[in-house]
Amino acid sequence: AAMDISRLIKVDLADVSTVCYVRSRAVSAGALIAIACDEIVMTEVGTLGDSAPISLGGQLTGVEREKIETVLRNEFRESARRNGYNTALAQSMVSADLEVWLIRHRETMELRYVLASEWEGRVQRSNEDDSSREWEKLHVVLAEGRLLTLDGPLAKNYGFASELVTPPLDDTYAPLVERYNIVQPPTVMRDTWSEALVGVLTSQAVMGLLLFVALLCAYVEINTP
């Protein structure tokens, strides 16, 4: 569903300005949708990132995990490139085996966040004395084995959040109304009662209970026809 929403934003709504408002959390599927938007506005306590795939049936490993991650990384990379976010940082929200470096051009002092796997051997390390290389490594932004998860200030520092807002408790959308000069009250789309019911019926706990009842009824029918 998150992939479909991401494609909807980037393809069907390509000519519509989209803003993701992260009041609390945009993690997992939420991060995928947020990166697809043209702009991200966050609160100070908002959270963005941590979109590694998980399985309720057990741990994903090997080719099975890579089969899912490669699709997600490509989606994050494409969305980041489209909306001007850093592609290395975006991909590190998906795969824990990616290490991100901050590097600097020796002459222009340009800073870049890059994947270590792509720049290994191309930059001067801090403990090396090699002035022939154009780029130098400053430090490790995200070590291998960790997923990128950002709060509001970090998200703005890394170029994901365009603005940090502090909404009043009685009007959570007030900062957006003021920022975008909205003249009419925003329409908030909420789940209908039928959508909420489907969400309950398709939850893992209820599905497990229904499956147990079905097996019990089948057992009773077989023994007492």
Side-chain angles (χ1 to χ4, degrees):
M3 295 282 285
D4 291 340
I5 294 173
S6 175
R7 285 288 149 183
L8 172 72
I9 292 172
K10 294 188 291 185
V11 179
D12 297 345
L13 302 180
D15 58 344
V16 176
S17 178
T18 53
V19 180
C20 179
Y21 180 31
V22 184
R23 288 192 295 137
S24 55
R25 290 178 299 171
V27 297
S28 194
L32 175 65
I33 296 170
I35 300 297
C37 293
D38 299 317
E39 188 178 357
I40 300 175
V41 175
M42 296 181 65
T43 62
E44 294 275 350
V45 296
T47 302
L48 173 69
D50 184 11
S51 192
I54 59 175
S55 172
L56 296 177
Q59 185 176 3
L60 292 171
T61 58
V63 176
E64 183 182 10
R65 184 173 192 86
E66 179 61 19
K67 181 179 176 64
I68 300 175
E69 282 193 2
T70 186
V71 176
L72 286 175
R73 283 198 305 269
N74 182 71
E75 191 72 19
F76 270 77
R77 182 171 57 247
E78 195 271 334
S79 293
R81 188 183 299 114
R82 172 182 180 270
N83 297 316
Y85 307 132
N86 182 270
T87 56
L89 292 172
Q91 292 178 84
S92 66
M93 296 181 182
V94 178
S95 298
D97 59 350
L98 297 180
E99 183 170 286
V100 180
W101 293 348
L102 176 63
I103 63 175
R104 180 175 61 190
H105 196 276
R106 298 175 63 86
E107 294 183 2
T108 64
M109 296 301 162
E110 175 190 352
L111 298 175
R112 286 187 189 178
Y113 296 103
V114 299
L115 294 178
S117 58
E118 296 178 354
W119 283 77
E120 185 70 43
R122 299 168 57 188
V123 298
Q124 176 188 347
R125 295 176 179 267
S126 56
N127 58 349
E128 292 180 338
D129 186 16
D130 183 4
S131 59
S132 63
R133 295 177 180 173
E134 296 183 3
W135 295 86
E136 58 181 343
K137 173 186 171 184
L138 297 183
H139 62 84
V140 176
V141 176
L142 186 73
E144 184 178 350
R146 302 177 62 183
L147 291 170
L148 182 65
T149 304
L150 307 171
D151 58 15
L154 264 180
K156 186 173 183 180
N157 184 44
Y158 287 163
F160 288 98
S162 60
E163 186 72 21
L164 296 182
V165 298
T166 305
L169 294 177
D170 58 344
D171 190 357
T172 55
Y173 297 101
L176 298 185
V177 172
E178 179 180 357
R179 177 178 173 82
Y180 299 103
N181 298 317
I182 300 174
V183 296
Q184 296 181 349
T187 300
V188 181
M189 307 289 289
R190 303 188 186 279
D191 289 344
T192 62
W193 68 268
S194 59
E195 291 169 333
L197 178 61
V198 170
V200 172
L201 293 177
T202 57
S203 65
Q204 292 295 322
V206 174
M207 289 177 63
L209 178 61
L210 292 177
L211 179 60
F212 172 76
V213 171
L215 293 175
L216 182 61
C217 292
Y219 175 80
V220 172
E221 178 66 21
I222 292 173
N223 286 272
T224 57

